[in-house]
Amino acid sequence: MGTLGMPNSSSISEFLLLALADTRQLQLLHFWLLLGIYLAALLGNGLISTAVACHHRLHTPMYFFLLNLALLDLGCISTTLPKAMANALWDTRTIYSGCAAQVFLFVLLFTTEIYLLTIMSYDRYVAICKPLHYGTLMDSRACATMAAAAWGTGVLTALLHTANTFSLFFCEITQILKLSCSHSYQREDGLIMASVLVEFGCFLFIVVSYVQIFRAVLRMPSEQGRHKAFSTCLPHLAVVSLFLSTAMFAYLKPPSMSSPSMDLVVAFVYSVVPPTLNPLIYSMRNQEIKDAVRKMMSWSHFKIKGRK
């Protein structure tokens, strides 16, 4: 991804994105690398989405939220990588109106994912710590309401940031505002601080939920019960850790570590790595997902053979 530059003139008609590489050979290498990552993310999240949607056994709150997470990851990586691949393939660097669209979509998806991961931790807390009330607290209406609230809050946050910034290759809000008026930068600082406080509240909620979850799991007399509980919680905890660690490093790293090349690497890590690895994390320890994908693949293979 990249930060922005602009022509040295009084009239701004376009932004210039920092190139991933200067030589044509490296640009083509980056294109194929990004294409491989993009296809892997599409395949992984697509398989999870299809498996959850097509198998009635997976029509539960946990997998409903996992479906939402997979759709968010698909949207998040599709917001950044196609433009990056086009830039690398055709050696183009200019962008203007698409920048606002990318900022809106990326902030929407990024923010919604934070809220969704918080909801997923609540789902696991209720399932393990309050199993007798799970059917009441996490019925279909409650799940739909919580998911809609996460998406709606993401839309509102994205509208506020985009309207204030106007900052579809990856355009950093802070980088664009440095080119803008100081009062806009200060206003955006206020929005970012408010967002950070809300997201820190989500982080605290997740931590408290997992403290209660692990206390409840360790008190379980059955080893099989503990294993099942951990198998549903650890993938979510790994996804949360990956998502928050990359995002926190991107936005909380000290100014001394900030440089165009470092910002490029960090932007790539937190916008591409979580959507690509999330399907792998969930499929490694979740037997139900594995079984659903296996049945889906065998059914597709049988249908293809039948046609032949």
Side-chain angles (χ1 to χ4, degrees):
M1 321 345 252
T3 56
L4 299 176
M6 65 179 178
N8 186 20
S9 64
S10 57
S11 177
I12 301 172
S13 60
E14 62 188 20
F15 294 116
L16 293 181
L17 294 161
L18 291 178
L20 287 170
D22 296 327
T23 64
R24 188 62 186 150
Q25 291 80 3
L26 283 177
Q27 287 174 343
L28 292 175
L29 177 62
H30 285 140
F31 167 77
W32 289 111
L33 176 63
L34 294 176
L35 179 62
I37 293 173
Y38 187 53
L39 291 177
L42 289 182
L43 177 63
N45 287 291
L47 283 175
I48 286 183
S49 301
T50 306
V52 173
C54 295
H55 289 78
H56 292 288
R57 186 180 178 184
L58 301 183
H59 291 181
T60 63
M62 183 176 76
Y63 293 109
F64 169 73
F65 294 128
L66 181 57
L67 172 62
N68 277 264
L69 181 65
L71 294 176
L72 282 168
D73 286 338
L74 280 172
C76 192
I77 203 165
S78 296
T79 301
T80 56
L81 279 198
K83 180 62 176 173
M85 288 187 290
N87 284 1
L89 183 61
W90 291 304
D91 193 20
T92 57
R93 296 177 57 194
T94 59
I95 189 171
Y96 187 64
S97 59
C99 198
Q102 192 188 54
V103 167
F104 173 79
L105 289 173
F106 191 79
V107 173
L108 187 163
L109 298 165
F110 188 86
T111 306
T112 303
E113 186 156 338
I114 295 174
Y115 298 139
L116 186 67
L117 291 172
T118 305
I119 294 169
M120 292 173 76
S121 70
Y122 175 71
D123 170 68
R124 293 298 82 209
Y125 165 76
V126 176
I128 293 173
C129 299
K130 299 180 182 293
L132 298 179
H133 302 284
Y134 187 78
T136 303
L137 295 175
M138 301 300 294
D139 60 10
S140 58
R141 183 175 180 180
C143 291
T145 301
M146 286 188 283
W151 282 93
T153 307
V155 170
L156 178 61
T157 303
L159 282 173
L160 289 172
H161 281 289
T162 307
N164 183 62
T165 304
F166 185 63
S167 10
L168 241 131
F169 188 55
F170 189 65
C171 307
E172 289 273 19
I173 288 177
T174 53
Q175 299 298 328
I176 295 171
L177 285 171
K178 288 176 182 177
L179 308 176
S180 181
C181 302
S182 59
H183 67 274
S184 297
Y185 193 84
Q186 291 168 359
R187 190 163 58 242
E188 182 62 23
D189 274 348
L191 286 173
I192 289 176
M193 284 302 300
S195 299
V196 167
L197 288 174
V198 172
E199 289 155 14
F200 183 69
C202 292
F203 172 73
L204 284 180
F205 184 89
I206 292 171
V207 170
V208 172
S209 297
Y210 270 99
V211 169
Q212 298 298 320
I213 287 170
F214 287 137
R215 287 178 60 187
V217 170
L218 293 174
R219 288 199 299 265
M220 290 181 178
S222 168
E223 184 178 348
Q224 183 178 2
R226 290 196 299 271
H227 181 268
K228 184 177 180 180
F230 278 126
S231 68
T232 61
C233 291
L234 291 180
H236 175 258
L237 192 58
V239 168
V240 170
S241 300
L242 178 65
F243 183 80
L244 291 180
S245 61
T246 53
M248 288 173 67
F249 180 73
Y251 286 99
L252 299 180
K253 66 181 186 297
S256 58
M257 293 182 63
S258 183
S259 68
S261 57
M262 175 60 73
D263 291 343
L264 192 67
V265 172
V266 169
F268 179 85
V269 168
Y270 87 86
S271 62
V272 172
V273 172
T276 306
L277 293 185
N278 284 353
L280 182 63
I281 292 171
Y282 266 103
S283 60
M284 282 178 63
R285 294 189 60 90
N286 194 306
Q287 191 60 43
E288 289 180 320
I289 287 287
K290 290 180 183 177
D291 292 341
V293 171
R294 195 177 297 115
K295 288 179 182 177
M296 188 170 60
M297 298 296 288
S298 61
W299 179 80
S300 299
H301 180 68
F302 175 78
K303 192 172 182 180
I304 292 172
K305 288 183 66 176
R307 285 180 178 177
K308 292 181 179 179

